[in-house]
Amino acid sequence: MSEMNLLGHMGCVALYCVLSLVMPAILSAEFTLASVSEHHIIICTCMQDLVACSIINSSECVCHNHPFSMLEHDDSPSTVTYKRLTVWYTSPLNVARLLNNSEVRYLALAKCNSARGTSLSVHYFTVRRLERLYISYPFWMPGQNHDIVLGRDVGMPYHEEPRMAVIHTDVLVGKAELKAYTVKTMVDSNGMTPFPEMFMPMDDLPDMSSIFVSFLY
Ligand SMILES: *[C@@H]1O[C@H](CO)[C@@H](O)[C@H](O)[C@H]1NC(C)=O
Ligand SMILES: *[C@@H]1O[C@H](CO)[C@@H](O)[C@H](O)[C@H]1NC(C)=O
């Protein structure tokens, strides 16, 4: 699938640093694939494009399996960091938990079961520095996908500006339409934005700096 061209090499991964030590040297053709289900998360480094939701071929990918409870018991906010990440999933909730507070620039999501399912009790998750979101539901809306590039509409060199994406979990559950709305706002001296009810990990931002917040829903 050409959509899989979004894939790239593996970035620094705080949660999985140990794994990267045992992985082979990182080549530019490699990309990171996370397969997320109810109880497990499999993190793979793959050598070539794969058809979304296919069986992961062990001769093309090096994979490590983790019980999801590993993430549940991690008290600190997730610090998953990837430049390019592909996620195949059957559990929208676990994807929201995995990606919440992460830093991913190019994110490709594929929902690998057909049931649209019901909305989740958690309504959003945040991804820092998100530049592009690609999502498909191959078994629910075959042949269709959503592909959103963030930031360009603001007319700024968006890659130089702090950015935060607030993604509604309905996007993971299944949305026939995907919309994005970006606002430029300020972080005050207390690190607060005009959206106090939303947790935004912005420790790395200097006071009074501006930030682009994109809502995807
Ligand atoms: C796995 O990948 C290898 C190398 O690309 C290929 O030769 C083999 O047929 C694949 N196996 C399956 C089950 O797709
Ligand atoms: C995202 O993280 C915030 C802060 O840690 C937390 O309040 C919220 O429930 C989390 N959301 C999800 C979907 O895990």
Side-chain angles (χ1 to χ4, degrees):
M1 261 186 192
S2 60
E3 299 89 287
M4 287 295 143
N5 290 340
L6 285 174
L7 309 171
H9 67 85
M10 181 183 175
C12 172
V13 190
L15 267 178
Y16 303 107
C17 270
V18 177
L19 299 179
S20 60
L21 295 178
V22 298
M23 284 178 178
I26 291 164
L27 305 171
S28 60
E30 291 181 348
F31 66 94
T32 302
L33 169 67
S35 176
V36 178
S37 60
E38 201 70 42
H39 300 294
H40 287 89
I41 171 167
I42 301 171
I43 302 278
C44 304
T45 300
C46 300
M47 305 304 160
Q48 50 188 273
D49 287 358
L50 301 172
V51 174
C53 304
S54 57
I55 305 286
I56 299 170
N57 183 335
S58 61
S59 66
E60 290 167 345
C61 301
V62 178
C63 297
H64 296 270
N65 200 329
H66 310 270
F68 217 92
S69 51
M70 192 185 88
L71 294 181
E72 280 168 3
H73 296 149
D74 186 358
D75 291 333
S76 61
S78 162
T79 49
V80 172
T81 303
Y82 293 94
K83 187 161 187 219
R84 293 164 192 266
L85 174 68
T86 292
V87 183
W88 297 351
Y89 64 94
T90 53
S91 170
L93 178 61
N94 283 349
V95 175
R97 288 151 84 196
L98 174 71
L99 294 179
N100 193 31
N101 308 326
S102 67
E103 181 178 316
V104 183
R105 286 175 180 261
Y106 304 97
L107 180 60
L109 302 169
K111 184 167 183 283
C112 298
N113 53 6
S114 57
R116 190 195 163 273
T118 50
S119 294
L120 307 180
S121 54
V122 285
H123 298 299
Y124 67 89
F125 61 100
T126 57
V127 178
R128 280 171 289 141
R129 297 193 187 280
L130 187 66
E131 290 176 20
R132 186 166 188 176
L133 175 68
Y134 176 90
I135 183 160
S136 63
Y137 315 100
F139 298 97
W140 180 56
M141 298 193 334
Q144 295 180 56
N145 60 67
H146 304 308
D147 190 358
I148 284 199
V149 176
L150 299 170
R152 291 190 203 279
D153 51 336
V154 193
M156 297 289 287
Y158 64 92
H159 53 276
E160 292 168 9
E161 295 285 338
R163 266 172 294 106
M164 166 78 63
V166 179
I167 305 175
H168 201 284
T169 49
D170 275 357
V171 173
L172 298 173
V173 172
K175 288 217 72 181
E177 256 193 297
L178 177 61
K179 296 175 188 164
Y181 180 76
T182 298
V183 294
K184 184 180 184 181
T185 187
M186 301 295 281
V187 181
D188 72 15
S189 53
N190 299 317
M192 298 298 288
T193 70
F195 314 108
E197 70 281 10
M198 292 189 168
F199 174 81
M200 296 196 188
M202 292 186 294
D203 311 336
D204 48 343
L205 289 181
D207 286 353
M208 299 308 290
S209 60
S210 60
I211 179 172
F212 289 103
V213 181
S214 294
F215 297 89
L216 286 89
Y217 58 99

